[in-house]
Amino acid sequence: MEGVDHLSHERSKAQFDVDEMKIVWAGSRDAFEVSDRIGRLVASDPAFRKDNRTILARKELFKNTLRKAAHAWKRIIELRLTEEEASRLRFFVDEPAFTDLHWGMFVPAIKGQGTDEQQQKWLPLAYKMQIIGCYAQTELGHGSNVQGLETTATFDPKTDEFIINSPTLTSSKWWPGGLGKVSTHSVVYARLITDGRDYGIHGFIVQLRSLDDHLPLPGITVGDIGNKFGSGAYNTMDNGVLRFDNVRIPRDQMLMRISQVTREGKYVQSNVPRQLVYGTMVYVRQTIVSDASCALSRAVCIATRYSAVRRQFGSHNGGAETQVIDYKTQQSRLFPLLASAYAFRFVGEWLKWLYTDVTQRLQAKDFSTLPEAHACTAGLKSLTTTATADGIEECRKLCGGHGYLSCSGLPELFAVYIPACTYEGDNVVLLLQVARFLMKTVSQLVSGKKPVGTTAYLGRAEHLMQCRSKVQKAEDWLIPSVVLEAFEARATRLSVACAQNLSKFSNQEEGFLELSADLVEAAVAHCQLIVVSKFIEKLQEDIPGKGVKEQLQTLCYVYALHLLHKHLGDFTSTGCITPKQASLANEQLRSLYSQVRPNVVALVDAFNYTDHYLGSILGRYDGNVYPNLYEEAWKDPLNDSVVPDGYHEYIRPMLKQQLRNARL
Amino acid sequence: MEGVDHLSHERSKAQFDVDEMKIVWAGSRDAFEVSDRIGRLVASDPAFRKDNRTILARKELFKNTLRKAAHAWKRIIELRLTEEEASRLRFFVDEPAFTDLHWGMFVPAIKGQGTDEQQQKWLPLAYKMQIIGCYAQTELGHGSNVQGLETTATFDPKTDEFIINSPTLTSSKWWPGGLGKVSTHSVVYARLITDGRDYGIHGFIVQLRSLDDHLPLPGITVGDIGNKFGSGAYNTMDNGVLRFDNVRIPRDQMLMRISQVTREGKYVQSNVPRQLVYGTMVYVRQTIVSDASCALSRAVCIATRYSAVRRQFGSHNGGAETQVIDYKTQQSRLFPLLASAYAFRFVGEWLKWLYTDVTQRLQAKDFSTLPEAHACTAGLKSLTTTATADGIEECRKLCGGHGYLSCSGLPELFAVYIPACTYEGDNVVLLLQVARFLMKTVSQLVSGKKPVGTTAYLGRAEHLMQCRSKVQKAEDWLIPSVVLEAFEARATRLSVACAQNLSKFSNQEEGFLELSADLVEAAVAHCQLIVVSKFIEKLQEDIPGKGVKEQLQTLCYVYALHLLHKHLGDFTSTGCITPKQASLANEQLRSLYSQVRPNVVALVDAFNYTDHYLGSILGRYDGNVYPNLYEEAWKDPLNDSVVPDGYHEYIRPMLKQQLRNARL
Ligand SMILES: Cc1cc2nc3c(=O)[nH]c(=O)nc-3n(C[C@H](O)[C@H](O)[C@H](O)COP(=O)(O)OP(=O)(O)OC[C@H]3O[C@@H](n4cnc5c(N)ncnc54)[C@H](O)[C@@H]3O)c2cc1C
Ligand SMILES: Cc1cc2nc3c(=O)[nH]c(=O)nc-3n(C[C@H](O)[C@H](O)[C@H](O)COP(=O)(O)OP(=O)(O)OC[C@H]3O[C@@H](n4cnc5c(N)ncnc54)[C@H](O)[C@@H]3O)c2cc1C
């Protein structure tokens, strides 16, 4: 059966140019070309094999990760890959490793918070991996509340050094990736104490391990924090614990771009604006949003292909059974996730633009859009990661029993993905920040302050508070302005209602705490509006390729209308739409599903994932699921012997009624 | 710090008698006493240690499970435990094993489908575990669609035998627990072919392995299907694959209670009603509902205790920070899950009663309530397992970063629980069955047929279609009849709307397929109504103990009103309640959360789980989380050496720029 494409019939049904869609998905022809080339490179290199990952014990697994990381770096050097290519390579290797933190947090932290000299000193070492760094912020006792961190960095003017110390058990650094076993250095966040005063949390570059023999330096206790969710998954990462017993570092290892400690121990603010820090946050969160679209699209790709292969029920007089993807319940669970993957892709692209825009403004000392950009990225990080985590698990369920097997790829994808809901800001804590920003924006409306960017619609609050949807027939739900207005009206009404309820409290802070569950819902409504509006904006672009734009249009409305259905209570109870209009939306949604159906396999092909990257027997490109599932089973270590280890000690005595005297 | 109770302050705040609540939770004083005693027995026996489960490789893990199963059985014999005690013991051992299928499926299948002689022959062997059995229904190609199974059992009149065969790859049995490595026997489902005709799926007792040396019998290929979701978790179970190459079994190993094949090969129906099969299904699904309440309550117990220990933000002038359980967002996510655990407990209890009732009626040849009972258990299985799976993951998120550690217990609990959404009927497929039953019930209303049991309310459809909720102030949402009517009206209106839309289709079956997503929602509404109404009924009972009933009342309304909020669109768009009434419900819900708050730790103490059973450092009874997290970390195999395996081969060459010539 080798070489047969079991999904060719599905592929032939597609009503659009898949190659052009691949380019839309990748972002540009160039990006596609790089991604495609590097994807194949990784897939064809046996050193990057990963199908055994879920059965390896922790130590083997970890050693294997070290090997792959070294091999990847070797290839990057040998092939003289560009930064973009190297980052795609790490993406396709698809295994969390210390290098993620080195490139993704350590280097950016030095870039963002180090002075020019510090950058000149440390970055070249980091770029060549002569040192390996991680990012040690979270402690056993404090994660979300960074201001509550307990590690201290006390300046000693006698020796011109900082003394880094862990005064309590809860001050132990806890969670930093790459810390446990690999990193030689770390950016460590600690309370800066000098001149008898506590100046709060600052970053310091601290060497942790000897560059000669890798042993922890004196005063440093460091190790791995132990097993995490799932098999394989994030256990390739050495998230670590770290304690300092009065460890001394030179003064110039404090990251001093924004504030300094002088030789005399005076604390000084530089004239570099503090807001710069937010720029880095916008950057990191933007990458998280784009990762969300990758993880979700991957799960959707697996579930879609398998749903086209899987048949169950509906055979009459011996014919083939129904493909489960033809069941409307399957469609109503799967297609919104497909649409979400595309939606998150486009909003991620837009965030990249936003980051550039913010950076340019910062350089021009224009801080006006920063709070809005910050709230927007925080909210989108929260929205997309929550939806992706839930979506991966839904895709697994959509695969029935077989989705529960590790070789479906979905369990590991879920386990490795979900911490994105927690790191870089717990998703609920982030939504509360968004809500705070929204309340501020609403409260400033009366004073005539014009809301900017993604909150601009609140400037039309008066209209949006009383407008009525004009939908009269199902097709009206395909008019961009109609959809947009419904989402704007909903977001406005929820925000304004919260603001009104808040104003009844004499103490605003108390009110905020009391109403926080409602506030979170208002924040979600705001963020969903952003995603919908950016998708609609995307459709305004010139998009070449036969049928490509039409498909994206369909997906855009699937995304919007499924949200409308899911949050119907918001829309109807605030009077944005009537029950009749809601049922027309539902009708339209059903008809959109029928339009997606013939294109659905091609729509996931457009992600251009290799079978290596997907890592799923159910999601194989050729749809040849059953023989491969069957073969895979026999590889389990339990099948090494026909009669299992333990038979003589435990099973046989049970069957033979000889347990009573057995020593177990 | 040993012996200090960090949660004593929380416990002292409770406004009710926790010991009495423990009895309510257990179901009776007797049940409590047994459960408490056996729970301690297991917890204090080092042979049942399970804290190393997530780091064992598959073979070790499995061998360990065999040991525990043997030890458990030994203890059961030695202590002469009753059936109830033995089943509690297996419950507290808390490790999926072949014994689950032996006792939970193999024995009940023979009891339900075997003739008296067959029962007399096989049950004593099974009761003494002289044979170990499993339940082989699902195949690689067919799970939900049992009628599509491909394994054949062809009667050979020459030898008076059945020939069991696997004609295709997809006919391989796939998934049965206990099959892969342990079972000596199985109930195998296969197409019965005799007299040149295919009589569809029937059950057969087939011996798989030799009782002498455990080798598979001739013609049988059997093995484990490989790694499943998570570490530890369900990998202690040997879900298996099984192929038959024309394996012969005596005719009397067909399970013949309901139909027989005679010596001559004639197929005969017995006078035992076929409906008996449904009785077994009601039984099995009832146990799944009660398991759901256990799994959910366990997750809730962990998240609640940890949320009371964890503090984050809100410290002013150096005081203690806020316990995260005091945040309203935390409460609005956690408390409904606590309420759901109690709700599922009570509906599970009621299902036990329903099973007895159905059984008695069956014996009296009264089949009138069977379809309703069947739909009701199918729906409740689906509802409670979905909510529990989602709820466990929500509890994990509620624990922030630390919830992602295996030692929080939540990852394994999730991984081991989720297949409950798939086995014994995929949850969506089950809801479609419920919907089918509801549509039938509605369509029969016109003919005057009175709906029974949990559908009785549909008899008042006329009233429920046009009634308006009488709620005028928040407290009105605490009137049982008001809440019930809102849920009844919603369920009725969704069902009737579906029925009306269905009637527009000329082909009913096509209509059903087309509208299935809506139909599923109507089924969910119906099932939620059942849970709410059984909780309210429970409150009508005499419940002793200071404050106990009051707490249950609070939880009952939390359960109902959070559903109302979650599905607000259903309620408002069908006009059951007005937006104003919805916002009063929300207000009431907030006030209920405040009432739960001081009692919440005591409410999870009432589950009476030992620390052994919980298996969670975050959920420890004494709340002494941090020192134990810290200690646990060092036990990870990665910490066996300070410098990790692989340093010399991979890390050092990277740091020293010597990769180029390295062989990796
Ligand atoms: C896989 C993984 C990798 C990580 N990598 C790193 C790393 O490299 N470096 C590093 O420094 N850290 C890392 N972290 C730590 C991570 O950043 C924190 O776990 C995260 O910030 C969440 O903080 P927490 O764990 O303290 O959660 P908590 O704040 O304890 O959250 C617990 C609960 O409290 C709620 N809560 C908290 N505050 C509030 C509030 N004000 N209002 C309402 N609710 C609230 C939360 O919503 C949550 O439900 C990692 C974590 C994980 C899981
Ligand atoms: C851990 C575990 C243990 C198990 N133990 C046993 C055991 O001991 N013995 C045994 O015999 N089996 C066992 N099973 C198998 C289990 O019973 C099946 O997996 C289950 O019945 C689901 O069937 P499926 O896998 O074929 O799912 P599928 O039917 O293939 O489901 C795939 C998707 O199709 C959808 N779908 C299917 N039919 C329809 C329809 N008519 N309308 C709409 N949508 C539809 C489903 O909703 C799902 O989204 C076990 C499974 C697991 C995961």
Side-chain angles (χ1 to χ4, degrees):
Chain A
M1 297 291 274
E2 212 54 59
V4 175
D5 180 0
H6 294 258
L7 290 170
S8 62
H9 174 65
E10 287 292 337
R11 296 193 164 104
S12 70
K13 285 195 288 193
Q15 298 153 320
F16 69 100
D17 184 334
V18 184
D19 288 331
E20 287 294 334
M21 187 66 93
K22 287 183 180 172
I23 288 162
V24 175
W25 177 263
S28 71
R29 197 167 293 273
D30 262 11
F32 168 75
E33 189 276 324
V34 170
S35 190
D36 185 62
R37 180 162 42 83
I38 304 287
R40 286 168 202 271
L41 182 88
V42 171
S44 63
D45 187 339
F48 292 130
R49 174 183 170 196
K50 60 180 186 175
D51 58 341
N52 56 350
R53 201 159 49 189
T54 57
I55 58 167
L56 295 179
R58 183 85 202 277
K59 269 171 150 175
E60 279 174 279
L61 177 72
F62 185 70
K63 188 172 176 185
N64 220 6
T65 305
L66 296 180
R67 182 183 53 72
K68 288 191 202 179
H71 183 70
W73 186 234
K74 188 177 172 188
R75 298 300 287 152
I76 288 169
I77 299 169
E78 285 170 351
L79 300 171
R80 298 169 186 272
L81 297 190
T82 64
E83 213 175 299
E84 185 196 352
E85 289 167 332
S87 130
R88 289 316 284 169
L89 187 128
R90 279 190 293 270
F91 171 82
F92 282 114
V93 168
D94 182 41
E95 189 155 303
F98 61 94
T99 43
D100 299 351
L101 283 299
H102 178 79
W103 295 109
M105 299 293 290
F106 182 68
V107 166
I110 295 176
K111 274 191 180 168
Q113 296 159 44
T115 60
D116 288 348
E117 298 105 85
Q118 290 178 317
Q119 297 194 28
Q120 274 155 32
K121 172 171 176 191
W122 296 100
L123 290 181
L125 294 169
Y127 286 150
K128 291 198 208 137
M129 300 209 83
Q130 290 175 296
I131 61 173
I132 300 172
C134 64
Y135 184 90
Q137 178 174 302
T138 307
E139 298 174 353
L140 196 46
H142 289 90
S144 298
N145 180 15
V146 176
Q147 298 314 317
L149 295 176
E150 299 173 84
T151 304
T152 51
T154 311
F155 183 63
D156 178 358
K158 287 197 236 82
T159 60
D160 198 19
E161 290 172 319
F162 286 105
I163 306 165
I164 314 280
N165 196 41
S166 310
T168 59
L169 179 77
T170 46
S171 74
S172 311
K173 292 292 171 189
W174 190 270
W175 271 120
L179 167 66
K181 291 286 147 184
V182 180
S183 293
T184 60
H185 289 68
S186 179
V187 171
V188 172
Y189 290 85
R191 319 195 72 78
L192 167 61
I193 295 166
T194 186
D195 224 7
R197 235 185 93 182
D198 179 338
Y199 287 92
I201 304 306
H202 290 73
F204 301 83
I205 300 181
V206 184
Q207 180 170 353
L208 305 175
R209 290 180 168 94
S210 155
L211 289 171
D212 291 328
D213 57 12
H214 211 61
L215 286 175
L217 297 186
I220 285 178
T221 308
V222 62
D224 186 274
I225 58 169
N227 211 59
K228 291 156 297 212
F229 204 131
S231 48
Y234 220 85
N235 291 302
T236 56
M237 181 72 87
D238 54 331
N239 294 92
V241 43
L242 169 64
R243 289 183 60 79
F244 298 100
D245 181 5
N246 293 304
V247 171
R248 289 176 169 267
I249 58 166
R251 180 171 55 92
D252 69 2
Q253 285 178 213
M254 168 181 168
L255 290 171
M256 299 227 205
R257 182 154 178 212
I258 288 164
S259 45
Q260 294 97 35
V261 169
T262 66
R263 177 65 192 86
E264 295 72 34
K266 287 271 161 293
Y267 183 81
V268 213
Q269 295 273 9
S270 76
N271 56 3
V272 178
R274 290 192 76 80
Q275 286 93 333
L276 271 180
V277 184
Y278 291 111
T280 317
M281 260 168 144
V282 172
Y283 171 75
V284 173
R285 288 181 183 156
Q286 161 255 308
T287 63
I288 295 183
V289 171
S290 120
D291 288 349
S293 78
C294 293
L296 183 56
S297 57
R298 187 169 161 182
V300 166
C301 180
I302 295 168
T304 299
R305 288 185 183 156
Y306 179 64
S307 296
V309 169
R310 184 71 170 172
R311 293 173 179 273
Q312 208 75 197
F313 295 103
S315 150
H316 300 295
N317 43 54
E321 290 168 276
T322 306
Q323 293 165 283
V324 298
I325 203 162
D326 282 323
Y327 291 114
K328 294 288 166 182
T329 45
Q330 194 85 352
Q331 296 179 3
S332 70
R333 295 155 72 199
L334 181 58
F335 293 177
L337 297 174
L338 172 66
S340 302
Y342 275 92
F344 297 169
R345 190 76 184 174
F346 299 140
V347 83
E349 249 176 33
W350 170 78
L351 275 181
K352 251 183 236 163
W353 168 86
L354 183 73
Y355 171 63
T356 326
D357 182 62
V358 162
T359 313
Q360 283 168 357
R361 285 174 191 263
L362 282 179
Q363 276 154 4
K365 301 242 175 343
D366 166 8
F367 306 126
S368 63
T369 63
L370 203 56
E372 184 265 321
H374 182 246
C376 159
T377 43
L380 290 174
K381 183 273 180 183
S382 173
L383 185 80
T384 57
T385 55
T386 298
T388 297
D390 294 348
I392 296 169
E393 171 60 5
E394 185 70 5
C395 285
R396 195 195 59 74
K397 290 209 183 96
L398 284 162
C399 296
H402 301 344
Y404 189 62
L405 284 169
S406 295
C407 66
S408 78
L410 292 165
E412 203 186 7
L413 184 56
F414 181 76
V416 88
Y417 187 75
I418 46 174
C421 298
T422 306
Y423 59 54
E424 278 303 307
D426 171 273
N427 280 353
V428 171
V429 174
L430 290 179
L431 288 175
L432 287 168
Q433 291 175 11
V434 176
R436 226 171 254 282
F437 175 71
L438 287 175
M439 290 308 100
K440 196 168 163 192
T441 309
V442 169
S443 74
Q444 291 175 338
L445 286 178
V446 274
S447 67
K449 185 162 177 202
K450 263 220 155 349
V452 296
T454 54
T455 49
Y457 70 99
L458 286 171
R460 289 177 283 117
E462 220 166 307
H463 166 70
L464 292 169
M465 285 302 291
Q466 41 81 22
C467 66
R468 299 267 164 270
S469 173
K470 292 176 193 68
V471 168
Q472 291 186 318
K473 50 188 194 308
E475 300 79 57
D476 291 345
W477 278 116
L478 302 180
I479 305 171
S481 59
V482 166
V483 172
L484 217 47
E485 190 176 81
F487 276 83
E488 287 176 344
R490 166 205 181 210
T492 305
R493 293 174 198 200
L494 292 185
S495 275
V496 170
C498 283
Q500 283 167 349
N501 288 335
L502 264 180
S503 67
K504 293 177 197 150
F505 287 81
S506 54
N507 180 329
Q508 285 298 290
E509 199 44 39
E510 248 170 47
F512 192 87
L513 288 173
E514 180 65 23
L515 300 175
S516 57
D518 294 348
L519 283 156
V520 161
E521 292 179 6
V524 167
H526 171 69
C527 298
Q528 289 176 342
L529 163 62
I530 300 177
V531 182
V532 169
S533 68
K534 295 306 157 192
F535 206 153
I536 289 178
E537 273 176 26
K538 176 81 192 173
L539 298 175
Q540 253 95 74
E541 287 176 20
D542 205 30
I543 303 173
K546 172 176 159 276
V548 172
K549 193 181 237 181
E550 287 73 12
Q551 292 306 315
L552 294 178
Q553 254 152 359
T554 305
L555 291 173
C556 176
Y557 293 108
V558 166
Y559 182 72
L561 296 184
H562 107 276
L563 283 182
L564 189 141
H565 183 67
K566 190 171 161 195
H567 299 274
L568 191 57
D570 286 0
F571 288 88
T572 54
S573 73
T574 54
C576 300
I577 66 170
T578 63
K580 172 77 192 150
Q581 290 169 328
S583 109
L584 291 172
N586 219 13
E587 200 178 295
Q588 184 55 54
L589 192 54
R590 272 206 301 277
S591 131
L592 289 168
Y593 290 155
S594 306
Q595 290 167 46
V596 172
R597 172 63 190 91
N599 297 291
V600 69
V601 168
L603 283 168
V604 303
D605 285 348
F607 305 144
N608 200 42
Y609 292 143
T610 60
D611 277 350
H612 172 273
Y613 178 69
L614 277 184
S616 166
I617 291 181
L618 303 188
R620 289 171 63 97
Y621 182 84
D622 66 6
N624 193 21
V625 168
Y626 296 117
N628 284 289
L629 267 182
Y630 188 81
E631 259 179 50
E632 185 66 21
W634 301 102
K635 297 180 193 158
D636 192 276
L638 262 196
N639 290 325
D640 287 353
S641 64
V642 177
V643 173
D645 233 26
Y647 163 71
H648 292 283
E649 302 95 308
Y650 310 121
I651 302 179
R652 194 179 159 84
M654 195 184 268
L655 291 167
K656 300 297 174 199
Q657 317 288 296
Q658 293 160 345
L659 268 187
R660 208 177 256 277
N661 310 312
R663 292 185 54 100
L664 301 178
Chain B
M1 298 292 272
E2 212 54 62
V4 174
D5 180 0
H6 294 257
L7 290 170
S8 62
H9 174 63
E10 287 291 338
R11 294 191 166 105
S12 70
K13 286 195 289 192
Q15 298 152 319
F16 69 100
D17 183 333
V18 184
D19 288 332
E20 287 294 332
M21 188 65 94
K22 287 183 180 172
I23 289 162
V24 175
W25 177 264
S28 71
R29 196 166 294 272
D30 261 12
F32 168 76
E33 188 277 324
V34 170
S35 190
D36 185 62
R37 179 162 43 83
I38 304 287
R40 288 168 200 271
L41 182 88
V42 171
S44 64
D45 187 338
F48 291 130
R49 174 184 169 195
K50 59 180 188 176
D51 59 341
N52 57 350
R53 203 158 49 189
T54 58
I55 58 166
L56 296 180
R58 182 85 201 277
K59 268 170 152 175
E60 277 174 279
L61 177 73
F62 186 70
K63 187 171 175 187
N64 219 6
T65 304
L66 296 181
R67 182 184 51 74
K68 287 191 201 179
H71 183 69
W73 186 234
K74 188 176 173 192
R75 297 301 286 151
I76 288 168
I77 299 169
E78 285 170 350
L79 300 171
R80 296 168 188 274
L81 298 189
T82 64
E83 212 175 301
E84 184 195 353
E85 289 167 331
S87 130
R88 289 315 284 167
L89 187 128
R90 280 189 294 269
F91 171 82
F92 282 114
V93 169
D94 182 40
E95 187 155 305
F98 61 92
T99 42
D100 299 350
L101 284 298
H102 177 80
W103 295 108
M105 298 293 289
F106 181 70
V107 167
I110 295 176
K111 272 189 182 170
Q113 296 158 45
T115 61
D116 288 347
E117 297 106 84
Q118 288 178 317
Q119 297 194 29
Q120 273 155 33
K121 172 171 176 190
W122 295 100
L123 290 180
L125 294 170
Y127 285 151
K128 290 198 210 137
M129 299 209 82
Q130 291 176 296
I131 62 173
I132 300 172
C134 65
Y135 185 90
Q137 179 174 302
T138 307
E139 298 173 355
L140 197 46
H142 288 90
S144 298
N145 180 15
V146 177
Q147 297 315 315
L149 294 176
E150 299 173 85
T151 304
T152 51
T154 311
F155 183 63
D156 179 358
K158 287 197 237 82
T159 59
D160 198 20
E161 289 171 319
F162 286 105
I163 307 165
I164 314 281
N165 196 40
S166 310
T168 60
L169 178 77
T170 47
S171 74
S172 311
K173 292 293 172 189
W174 190 269
W175 271 120
L179 167 66
K181 292 287 148 185
V182 179
S183 294
T184 60
H185 289 68
S186 179
V187 171
V188 171
Y189 290 86
R191 318 196 72 79
L192 167 60
I193 296 166
T194 185
D195 224 8
R197 236 186 91 181
D198 180 338
Y199 286 92
I201 305 306
H202 290 74
F204 301 83
I205 300 180
V206 184
Q207 181 170 355
L208 305 175
R209 289 179 168 94
S210 154
L211 289 171
D212 292 328
D213 56 13
H214 211 62
L215 286 175
L217 297 186
I220 284 178
T221 308
V222 61
D224 185 273
I225 59 170
N227 211 58
K228 291 156 298 212
F229 203 131
S231 48
Y234 220 85
N235 291 302
T236 56
M237 182 72 87
D238 55 332
N239 294 92
V241 43
L242 169 65
R243 290 182 61 78
F244 298 101
D245 181 5
N246 293 304
V247 171
R248 290 176 168 268
I249 58 166
R251 179 171 56 93
D252 68 3
Q253 286 178 214
M254 168 180 166
L255 290 171
M256 300 226 205
R257 182 154 178 210
I258 288 162
S259 46
Q260 294 97 34
V261 169
T262 65
R263 178 65 192 85
E264 296 72 35
K266 288 269 159 292
Y267 182 81
V268 214
Q269 296 273 10
S270 77
N271 55 3
V272 178
R274 290 192 75 80
Q275 288 92 332
L276 269 182
V277 184
Y278 291 112
T280 317
M281 263 167 144
V282 172
Y283 171 74
V284 173
R285 289 183 182 154
Q286 161 256 308
T287 63
I288 293 183
V289 171
S290 121
D291 288 349
S293 78
C294 293
L296 184 56
S297 57
R298 188 168 160 182
V300 165
C301 180
I302 295 168
T304 299
R305 288 185 184 157
Y306 179 64
S307 295
V309 169
R310 184 72 171 171
R311 293 173 181 271
Q312 208 75 196
F313 295 104
S315 149
H316 301 293
N317 43 53
E321 291 168 277
T322 306
Q323 293 166 283
V324 298
I325 203 161
D326 282 323
Y327 291 114
K328 294 288 166 179
T329 45
Q330 194 85 351
Q331 296 179 3
S332 70
R333 296 155 72 198
L334 181 58
F335 293 177
L337 296 175
L338 172 67
S340 301
Y342 275 92
F344 297 169
R345 191 76 184 174
F346 299 140
V347 83
E349 248 176 31
W350 171 77
L351 275 180
K352 251 182 236 162
W353 168 85
L354 183 73
Y355 171 64
T356 326
D357 181 63
V358 162
T359 313
Q360 283 168 357
R361 285 172 193 264
L362 282 178
Q363 276 155 2
K365 302 243 174 342
D366 165 9
F367 307 123
S368 63
T369 63
L370 203 55
E372 184 266 323
H374 181 245
C376 158
T377 43
L380 289 174
K381 183 270 179 186
S382 174
L383 185 80
T384 57
T385 54
T386 298
T388 297
D390 295 349
I392 295 169
E393 171 60 5
E394 185 70 5
C395 286
R396 194 195 60 74
K397 291 209 183 95
L398 284 163
C399 296
H402 301 344
Y404 189 61
L405 284 170
S406 295
C407 67
S408 78
L410 293 164
E412 202 186 8
L413 184 56
F414 181 76
V416 87
Y417 187 75
I418 47 173
C421 298
T422 306
Y423 59 52
E424 277 304 306
D426 170 273
N427 280 354
V428 171
V429 174
L430 289 179
L431 288 175
L432 288 168
Q433 290 175 12
V434 176
R436 226 172 253 283
F437 175 70
L438 287 174
M439 290 307 102
K440 195 167 162 194
T441 308
V442 170
S443 74
Q444 290 175 340
L445 287 178
V446 274
S447 66
K449 186 164 176 202
K450 264 218 155 348
V452 297
T454 54
T455 50
Y457 70 99
L458 286 171
R460 288 178 283 117
E462 220 164 309
H463 166 71
L464 292 169
M465 285 302 290
Q466 40 82 22
C467 65
R468 299 267 166 269
S469 173
K470 292 175 193 68
V471 169
Q472 291 186 317
K473 50 188 194 309
E475 301 79 58
D476 290 346
W477 277 116
L478 303 180
I479 305 170
S481 60
V482 166
V483 171
L484 218 46
E485 189 176 81
F487 275 83
E488 287 176 345
R490 165 205 182 210
T492 306
R493 292 174 198 200
L494 292 185
S495 275
V496 170
C498 283
Q500 283 167 348
N501 289 335
L502 265 180
S503 68
K504 293 177 196 150
F505 286 80
S506 54
N507 180 328
Q508 284 298 290
E509 199 45 38
E510 249 169 47
F512 191 87
L513 287 173
E514 181 63 24
L515 300 175
S516 57
D518 295 347
L519 283 157
V520 162
E521 291 179 6
V524 167
H526 171 68
C527 298
Q528 289 175 342
L529 163 63
I530 300 177
V531 182
V532 169
S533 68
K534 294 305 156 193
F535 206 152
I536 289 179
E537 273 176 27
K538 176 81 192 174
L539 297 175
Q540 253 95 73
E541 288 176 20
D542 206 29
I543 302 173
K546 172 178 158 278
V548 171
K549 192 179 238 182
E550 287 72 11
Q551 292 305 316
L552 295 177
Q553 253 152 0
T554 305
L555 291 173
C556 176
Y557 293 108
V558 166
Y559 182 73
L561 296 184
H562 106 277
L563 283 181
L564 188 141
H565 182 68
K566 189 171 163 196
H567 299 273
L568 191 56
D570 287 0
F571 288 88
T572 54
S573 74
T574 54
C576 299
I577 66 170
T578 64
K580 172 77 192 147
Q581 290 170 328
S583 109
L584 291 171
N586 219 14
E587 199 178 298
Q588 184 55 55
L589 191 54
R590 271 205 302 276
S591 129
L592 289 168
Y593 290 156
S594 307
Q595 291 167 46
V596 172
R597 172 61 189 93
N599 297 291
V600 69
V601 168
L603 283 168
V604 303
D605 284 349
F607 305 143
N608 200 42
Y609 292 142
T610 60
D611 278 350
H612 172 273
Y613 178 69
L614 277 184
S616 167
I617 291 181
L618 303 189
R620 288 170 64 96
Y621 181 83
D622 67 5
N624 193 22
V625 169
Y626 296 117
N628 285 289
L629 267 181
Y630 188 82
E631 259 180 51
E632 185 66 21
W634 300 103
K635 297 181 192 157
D636 192 276
L638 263 195
N639 290 326
D640 288 352
S641 64
V642 178
V643 173
D645 234 26
Y647 163 70
H648 292 283
E649 302 95 307
Y650 311 122
I651 302 178
R652 193 179 159 84
M654 194 183 266
L655 290 168
K656 300 297 173 198
Q657 317 288 295
Q658 294 160 343
L659 267 188
R660 209 178 257 277
N661 311 311
R663 293 185 56 99
L664 301 177

